[in-house]
Amino acid sequence: MALTLIPALSGCSLQGVPIVSEPTTYVGGTLVDHLQWVEEEIDKAIAVSGVKEGWFKSFSGEEIEWTDDPKSRYEIFGSLLPRACGSGGALVQNLVVRDVPKWAEIAERMRAAWEADGWVVMDVFSVDRPSNPYFRADREDGALLALNASEKGMILSVESPCSGDPTMSTKTLRLEERDAYLEEMLERPYNPAEE
């Protein structure tokens, strides 16, 4: 579903600026460190958006909503594994939300927040597309955030910096720490009434 939804939301193919590039720097940090960072960045972006509900990750047609419920996050992060970046690994997580009435305002707010946090923000499309803002935010360490917005919805992408830590290797997966972290995630206090 997400694969078919992403082109439907963007409305056309990318022109010019690639999202994936060869890293020029490698940071440290274990798989757990990067999972925590991705989770924090998603929470920050959603807070800035003001759209608390409706964000989801699609797995083979099943949509799992991103909520404060530890079970939801456990399911979403349970299959997140490092992707190769040079001789290291990075985590990439994408969430989608549909039918957001003030999507253009949210996109402007997100862009301003990322710039205020020191990210270098640039348009992904090489031409101005006010009906489909799609921009990325880069940091010197190679971390990347992106937002693609339109009347059909928004796609938030969060990519961690490239890490050379052995737990971030795509060749020999070392998931013991990650699995322990995910189990601890399930122990987080959660009160559904607060949602």
Side-chain angles (χ1 to χ4, degrees):
M1 181 70 163
L3 294 178
T4 57
L5 183 59
I6 289 174
L9 288 176
S10 63
C12 63
S13 63
L14 298 180
Q15 300 175 17
V17 184
I19 290 292
V20 180
S21 58
E22 184 68 22
T24 56
T25 192
Y26 293 90
V27 299
T30 65
L31 178 53
V32 169
D33 295 330
H34 288 261
L35 283 168
Q36 290 171 330
W37 181 85
V38 168
E39 184 178 15
E40 289 169 8
E41 289 302 320
I42 289 171
D43 283 336
K44 282 170 48 179
I46 288 174
V48 169
S49 79
V51 180
K52 175 77 173 155
E53 298 178 356
W55 294 92
F56 68 91
K57 177 77 179 178
S58 182
F59 296 98
S60 302
E62 180 187 0
E63 295 176 359
I64 300 172
E65 190 172 352
W66 178 271
T67 69
D68 290 335
D69 184 348
K71 290 178 185 173
S72 137
R73 297 189 182 205
Y74 177 88
E75 289 183 42
I76 289 173
F77 279 127
S79 63
L80 186 60
L81 297 172
R83 292 186 184 178
C85 53
S87 59
L91 295 180
V92 180
Q93 188 64 276
N94 300 308
L95 294 179
V96 175
V97 64
R98 293 188 188 99
D99 304 320
V100 181
K102 297 184 178 182
W103 56 272
E105 291 175 27
I106 291 168
E108 288 178 24
R109 195 164 55 239
M110 196 83 74
R111 183 182 198 117
W114 290 346
E115 288 173 342
D117 283 346
W119 294 80
V120 176
V121 181
M122 66 182 110
D123 293 320
V124 172
F125 291 123
S126 60
V127 293
D128 187 28
R129 299 173 91 64
S131 64
N132 182 206
Y134 187 10
F135 53 88
R136 62 184 275 171
D138 294 271
R139 240 178 23 191
E140 284 185 23
D141 64 2
L144 183 144
L145 306 173
L147 185 72
N148 187 349
S150 76
E151 62 187 13
K152 295 179 182 178
M154 297 186 296
I155 304 166
L156 171 67
S157 300
V158 177
E159 181 174 337
S160 74
C162 194
S163 173
D165 187 88
T167 61
M168 291 291 284
S169 170
T170 59
K171 295 177 180 146
T172 309
L173 292 176
R174 299 181 184 181
L175 301 178
E176 298 83 8
E177 287 181 37
R178 184 204 73 164
D179 293 345
Y181 171 72
L182 292 174
E183 290 300 322
E184 289 173 12
M185 183 182 279
L186 289 174
E187 302 299 320
R188 292 178 183 173
Y190 172 64
N191 183 353
E194 293 176 2
E195 284 274 329

